[in-house]
Amino acid sequence: MNCKRRSSWPVSVLAVTFLLITPALCRAQNAPDAKPGTQTLQGTVTRSDESGQPSPVQGVQVKLTPESGAPVLTTITDVKGHYAFAGLAAGSYAVEGTLDGFLPYKEVVKLAADGSVVHDFTMKLSAVTLSVDVQAQGETISTENANTTTTVTAKQATDLPRAEQKFKEALPLVPGVVRASDGTLNMKGTAESQGMLLVDSGETVDPVTGSFSIPVPLDAINSLSVSKTPYGAEYGGFSGGLAVIQTKAPSDTWTHSVEDLFPLLRGRSGHLVGLQYWKPRFYVSGPLIKKKLNFTEALDYDFDREPVRGLAWPINETKTNGFDSFSSIQATLSPRNILNANLIVFSRHQRFADISSLVPQTASSNDGQRGFSIGATDAVQFKSGATLSTLFRFNGIQSNGNPQGPLDMLLTPDGRAGDFFNTFARTAGQLQVQPTLQLATKSWHGHHDIKFGVDFTHRFYSGTSASHPVQILREDGTLAERIDFLPGAALHSRDTEVSEFVEDNWTISDHVTMDLGARLVSQSAGRAAAFGPRAGFAFSPGHDHKTLIHIGTGVFYDRVPLLTTDFTDNPTRVVTLFDQNGLPVGPPSILTNVYLQSGSAGAFTPTVNRPKSTARNITSSVEVDRELRRNFVLRLSFLSSQISNLAVVIPFAGPLGTSSFLGLAKTGVSHYYEFEATVNYKLSERDIFSASYIHSYARGDLNVLSDIYVPFEQAVIRPNIGGILPSSIPDRLVAWGIFALPWKLAIAPIVDFHTGLPYSTIDGSQNYVGVPNVQRFPSFFSLDVKFYREITGRLNILRHVGGRTARIGVFSLNLTNHSNPLDVFNNNTSPQFGRLSGFQHRVIGMVIEFKD
């Protein structure tokens, strides 16, 4: 729904002002209250393993409810399973513990006036699923939230075999998340740039491209969740999927770990030729001020020489060098006021970032990124039981792309030659402030948990882009086309977005829950006002409480792509065609950069006025979860995702010597449908298995702006055509498990089998031949296995490296050595037309880790 701009901004400003001054007003009202007590209630939460030995449980939410009617207090157990409440008065308290995969715990504890109490308790396992807590026989299915989420814990991400111990490597474990041939992620049928990554509730993406470019070290992550149907109104700024990282709370006892400490040496013809990779990871956490201030530091270093098959050694490698740092503190300002803050600092440089079997190092581009993300959340609980959380986060990123030299770029039927044509540099920032007020639970025909707030986001960037000529050559080496570039203007852009949201999690009974909410969005460079209603429904029918039905629908508005707001400042393309004798066919065509206004019957009119619109997504879903037997759950779901108003690039080339232009329109669409069948089976406390089959359909416009300019600008911009999307995978089977073996051994396999990615046939002028993306690579198959053993006890392998647990093992990626080609000679004038290239190979490595 579009409204006049005048009606939106005053509401936004008033809402921001109200929520920002609320903490001061409420603290002032609470100031005269009686003095808090001096007693402490603390303890350790454990679970029993197969041998009956207790082990601590991290991440349990412990809620303390005083029978006196005083405000409810909550905390989270640390890595030692420890929790503590200070400043309590004498009396009776209800202690509750909840954690996904465990049965809820509740018991009343009495706290005397003359001392503190240590109260330890044990959590019992329930059936484990990825999004719904199906409890033991006779218990009820949890319907506390109508949203469905798939979660990968930090332990699972570490235990499973991955090419790199990075959070982005774990995302393809989630059904519906696939990795394209260029390494980018696709969620819900859309590119990574259309999704959103939240770190401790703060937006943590590149302000310009929207990519997940701000890394979080894996050791700092407590859980990684993906939601394709995030119907909560508090979520906004995306038209694709939502990924959420919850970091580990700093520990109140010192703990540390050292992982991947030893490098992998590289051999050639029986001789050592240096390092292939070295990716050590360090983690330390503990109290700086006992019971007041805790600290965490996680640091990853990355040195990698990744070979590409199809190119000759030693000029066949992408070279990566960089580091990621995550620092966090948790300050207990009072029993009712907790401050969490973190700082991410990163730097990464890739030489020959986009090489392939058809792109040698000399024709590739270097890619560099560095920056930081700083955030803080202040949570205050009032006497009424309401909680005000104020989120602050600022992201700053510098990125650049540079070719290997100044030569013209050559496009031949057999691949690329010369030097890459474009150089860019960007400096970008994003400020986010989000105050959210969670009211105390209200009772009316059930229980209502009402939340409302304001999300203020300001994004900006400046930069440069310059290009040198591109030559398109025929098979005989003659020049067919030349693309020159006129100098562009300095690039700069900004957008301010203010969103108000309200949502109600309405628990009607232990069988029925509804999530109702809405989000109003105002964008200075996009929609003046856009209204997005959302609704989710969870229902557990029957008396056995073993079935859960989810139904939901919602409207989502994406953030403004900053690359659209200064599109006309990009270098102008000048295209000249040549005959077989190397002579120009006619005068060159100058493709002026313009914005396009859509008219009737699909016609477009060039205009200097930027279209103020952003992508809108309408998602609907239905899901059924059924516990077939204890610890064995089947999920069936169907998802529909429709996106409109995407920014697309459309070239219009008139007759030779006449007016031509390269236009940007906000008329792009995409459609995605998905059917998913997933089984989750927990054989025992130490054994877990998950398998998913996904059948999907993805269609839409092929010239979406992010595909043309991210991560590197395309040399040839073909006509915009609607068809099969490059990320479309109709059928996929992904299965993984972690299984305990005798003698403390464990094995963790991953199987990924899916339809091959699509590609298009092109001609000697690099234009489409026939329908794009109807050709496909062979089916992809990969079996990855990790085999390891854990050794417990105080270990001092090196003087300063030790711990209570060591993990030693081996892993193999693509164990069967399946070819899985990444490239194909798709130019129909090439003598090698149709030949596959860029085959994958088996990778074997070692695992050596030390942890407290």
Side-chain angles (χ1 to χ4, degrees):
M1 180 181 74
N2 290 323
C3 304
K4 291 183 179 179
R5 186 186 187 112
R6 183 178 298 172
S7 65
S8 174
W9 280 102
V11 174
S12 302
V13 173
L14 288 174
V16 171
T17 304
F18 170 75
L19 284 177
L20 288 178
I21 66 174
T22 299
L25 293 175
C26 293
R27 284 171 178 163
Q29 293 174 357
N30 289 340
D33 291 345
K35 295 181 180 179
T38 58
Q39 282 71 38
T40 299
L41 174 63
Q42 61 180 318
T44 301
V45 182
T46 59
R47 65 176 181 178
S48 297
D49 58 25
E50 290 182 328
S51 64
Q53 296 298 319
S55 57
V57 184
Q58 180 185 3
V60 177
Q61 178 175 292
V62 182
K63 183 167 68 173
L64 192 66
T65 305
E67 290 189 356
S68 63
V72 175
L73 303 176
T74 60
T75 188
I76 303 293
T77 58
D78 59 22
V79 292
K80 301 295 185 182
H82 183 261
Y83 74 93
F85 296 98
L88 303 178
S92 296
Y93 294 82
V95 180
E96 299 177 66
T98 56
L99 180 65
D100 287 345
F102 291 84
L103 297 178
Y105 171 87
K106 185 174 183 179
E107 188 172 335
V108 175
V109 176
K110 291 185 178 181
L111 193 61
D114 57 352
S116 299
V117 171
V118 175
H119 179 71
D120 301 331
F121 61 89
T122 301
M123 299 288 288
K124 296 182 179 180
L125 284 166
S126 68
V128 174
T129 75
L130 290 178
S131 67
V132 56
D133 181 19
V134 181
Q135 299 178 351
Q137 182 71 26
E139 300 289 340
T140 61
I141 291 179
S142 172
T143 56
E144 293 181 355
N145 196 303
N147 295 325
T148 58
T149 302
T150 301
T151 300
V152 178
T153 67
K155 186 177 186 306
Q156 291 167 351
T158 302
D159 290 349
L160 291 168
R162 308 306 302 158
E164 292 185 288
Q165 293 297 329
K166 307 290 185 182
F167 78 88
K168 290 180 66 173
E169 290 292 326
L171 284 173
L173 294 174
V174 176
V177 179
V178 297
R179 186 177 296 280
S181 58
D182 61 359
T184 58
L185 297 173
N186 291 272
M187 297 187 293
K188 204 167 71 174
T190 65
E192 177 182 312
S193 58
Q194 294 173 241
M196 176 56 70
L197 173 66
L198 301 181
V199 176
D200 294 338
S201 301
E203 295 184 5
T204 315
V205 296
D206 187 325
V208 179
T209 67
S211 300
F212 297 178
S213 302
I214 302 177
V216 180
L218 188 62
D219 293 318
I221 296 175
N222 187 52
S223 64
L224 172 61
S225 304
V226 175
S227 178
K228 294 173 287 185
T229 58
Y231 295 127
E234 62 183 303
Y235 302 122
F238 58 92
S239 57
L242 173 69
V244 178
I245 288 177
Q246 187 66 43
T247 62
K248 296 177 181 177
S251 174
D252 62 356
T253 58
W254 284 104
T255 182
H256 70 276
S257 66
V258 179
E259 304 179 49
D260 296 334
L261 183 62
F262 300 101
L264 177 65
L265 301 179
R266 178 174 53 181
R268 189 76 179 177
S269 302
H271 301 281
L272 291 178
V273 290
L275 294 179
Q276 179 164 337
Y277 68 78
W278 187 40
K279 303 181 180 183
R281 296 151 48 205
F282 307 92
Y283 175 83
V284 62
S285 183
L288 298 178
I289 303 176
K290 196 68 174 178
K291 298 182 181 180
K292 291 291 185 180
L293 185 65
N294 298 335
F295 169 78
T296 288
E297 170 63 33
L299 177 65
D300 294 355
Y301 176 73
D302 194 357
F303 176 93
D304 194 4
R305 299 292 181 262
E306 180 67 26
V308 172
R309 281 201 170 186
L311 298 177
W313 186 86
I315 54 173
N316 66 334
E317 297 176 330
T318 295
K319 301 181 179 182
T320 303
N321 192 14
F323 72 90
D324 312 324
S325 171
F326 178 87
S327 307
S328 69
I329 60 170
Q330 184 180 75
T332 304
L333 305 181
S334 76
R336 297 176 184 174
N337 189 189
I338 296 178
L339 174 67
N340 289 282
N342 59 61
L343 171 65
I344 303 170
V345 180
F346 63 96
S347 177
R348 187 168 307 277
H349 180 72
Q350 280 190 309
R351 293 195 64 195
F352 320 121
D354 59 338
I355 64 171
S356 69
S357 61
L358 306 183
V359 180
Q361 285 183 344
T362 54
S364 68
S365 180
N366 300 325
D367 183 22
Q369 289 185 333
R370 64 179 181 178
F372 67 93
S373 176
I374 184 169
T377 301
D378 179 54
V380 182
Q381 189 175 57
F382 306 122
K383 283 176 51 180
S384 63
T387 301
L388 176 67
S389 297
T390 304
L391 166 72
F392 163 88
R393 182 165 287 278
F394 182 82
N395 304 324
I397 297 180
Q398 293 181 342
S399 56
N400 61 80
N402 299 286
Q404 310 304 320
L407 300 178
D408 288 1
M409 179 174 174
L410 307 180
L411 295 178
T412 75
D414 294 326
R416 255 164 46 185
D419 289 320
F420 191 71
F421 75 100
N422 181 253
T423 300
F424 73 86
R426 305 187 191 110
T427 299
Q430 174 175 303
L431 171 66
Q432 180 187 15
V433 180
Q434 185 187 63
T436 302
L437 186 61
Q438 172 82 56
L439 301 181
T441 300
K442 307 296 182 182
S443 297
W444 181 77
H445 297 288
H447 299 288
H448 297 262
D449 291 313
I450 300 173
K451 179 189 296 185
F452 61 92
V454 174
D455 193 349
F456 171 87
T457 305
H458 179 69
R459 296 179 297 127
F460 59 91
Y461 96 99
S462 61
T464 59
S465 177
S467 298
H468 53 251
V470 176
Q471 298 184 34
I472 300 178
L473 306 181
R474 301 183 181 92
E475 177 58 31
D476 60 5
T478 59
L479 179 63
E481 182 178 328
R482 179 184 174 93
I483 305 174
D484 293 285
F485 295 85
L486 301 179
L491 302 175
H492 57 87
S493 176
R494 63 185 61 245
D495 174 59
T496 300
E497 178 178 312
V498 180
S499 303
E500 301 92 12
F501 63 88
V502 59
E503 63 183 37
D504 179 12
N505 178 247
W506 181 11
T507 303
I508 301 173
S509 69
D510 61 354
H511 289 266
V512 182
T513 291
M514 295 186 69
D515 278 322
L516 304 173
R519 189 178 182 94
L520 179 63
V521 181
S522 304
Q523 299 166 329
S524 63
R527 296 177 183 264
F531 181 70
R534 302 174 193 178
F537 174 79
F539 173 56
S540 176
H543 299 289
D544 60 359
H545 303 290
K546 294 181 179 294
T547 302
L548 181 61
I549 300 172
H550 288 274
I551 300 174
T553 187
V555 179
F556 303 83
Y557 289 93
D558 209 338
R559 56 201 178 277
V560 177
L562 292 184
L563 292 177
T564 67
T565 59
D566 61 352
F567 177 77
T568 56
D569 294 329
N570 284 313
T572 299
R573 292 169 176 248
V574 180
V575 178
T576 307
L577 303 180
F578 295 84
D579 61 20
Q580 291 284 351
N581 297 318
L583 299 176
V585 175
S589 297
I590 302 176
L591 275 72
T592 306
N593 297 319
V594 298
Y595 294 109
L596 298 176
Q597 181 70 41
S598 60
S600 60
F604 291 97
T605 302
T607 177
V608 295
N609 298 319
R610 184 178 71 246
K612 287 196 170 184
S613 179
T614 48
R616 180 181 64 183
N617 171 268
I618 301 176
T619 294
S620 300
S621 64
V622 58
E623 177 183 314
V624 178
D625 294 276
R626 174 66 181 179
E627 184 182 18
L628 302 179
R629 54 175 295 182
R630 182 175 175 83
N631 298 335
F632 185 25
V633 178
L634 170 68
R635 170 195 293 174
L636 301 174
S637 67
F638 176 78
L639 166 71
S640 169
S641 175
Q642 314 292 318
I643 304 178
S644 59
N645 301 123
L646 286 167
V648 290
V649 180
I650 305 176
F652 284 89
L656 293 176
T658 64
S659 176
S660 300
F661 52 87
L662 184 67
L664 179 73
K666 296 290 187 72
T667 58
V669 297
S670 71
H671 310 282
Y672 180 74
Y673 303 97
E674 176 188 283
F675 168 77
E676 176 191 338
T678 295
V679 292
N680 297 299
Y681 186 29
K682 189 171 183 66
L683 291 79
S684 68
E685 185 179 341
R686 298 176 60 193
D687 302 323
I688 187 171
F689 171 76
S690 176
S692 299
Y693 167 75
I694 305 96
H695 179 70
S696 62
Y697 170 95
R699 299 291 187 277
D701 286 275
L702 300 185
N703 279 18
V704 175
L705 180 78
S706 59
D707 295 335
I708 301 296
Y709 289 96
V710 179
F712 303 109
E713 183 176 345
Q714 290 186 11
V716 176
I717 301 179
R718 304 181 180 94
N720 180 47
I721 298 176
I724 300 172
L725 295 178
S727 60
S728 176
I729 297 180
D731 298 286
R732 184 186 184 211
L733 174 66
V734 57
W736 58 271
I738 302 171
F739 308 103
L741 301 175
W743 304 299
K744 295 186 178 181
L745 297 172
I747 187 171
I750 300 176
V751 174
D752 191 352
F753 175 78
H754 62 72
T755 308
L757 291 170
Y759 69 89
S760 303
T761 298
I762 59 176
D763 61 19
S765 297
Q766 303 287 317
N767 292 316
Y768 291 126
V769 175
V771 180
N773 291 333
V774 294
Q775 309 295 327
R776 286 192 176 272
F777 285 93
S779 296
F780 177 93
F781 175 79
S782 178
L783 171 61
D784 304 334
V785 178
K786 190 175 188 178
F787 183 81
Y788 60 90
R789 185 179 191 276
E790 291 190 346
I791 304 172
T792 58
R794 174 54 61 181
L795 304 166
N796 289 305
I797 308 301
L798 301 175
R799 182 177 179 181
H800 299 291
V801 178
R804 294 185 178 89
T805 302
R807 175 180 294 181
I808 301 175
V810 296
F811 67 89
S812 177
L813 308 179
N814 192 20
L815 180 64
T816 62
N817 210 26
H818 199 265
S819 60
N820 296 331
L822 295 176
D823 305 311
V824 61
F825 290 87
N826 63 334
N827 192 307
N828 63 5
T829 64
S830 169
Q832 304 184 75
F833 175 62
R835 185 171 71 85
L836 300 172
S837 184
F839 300 102
Q840 303 303 289
H841 58 92
R842 183 189 299 114
V843 175
I844 298 175
M846 290 188 63
V847 178
I848 303 177
E849 302 169 350
F850 304 95
K851 292 186 177 183
D852 261 347

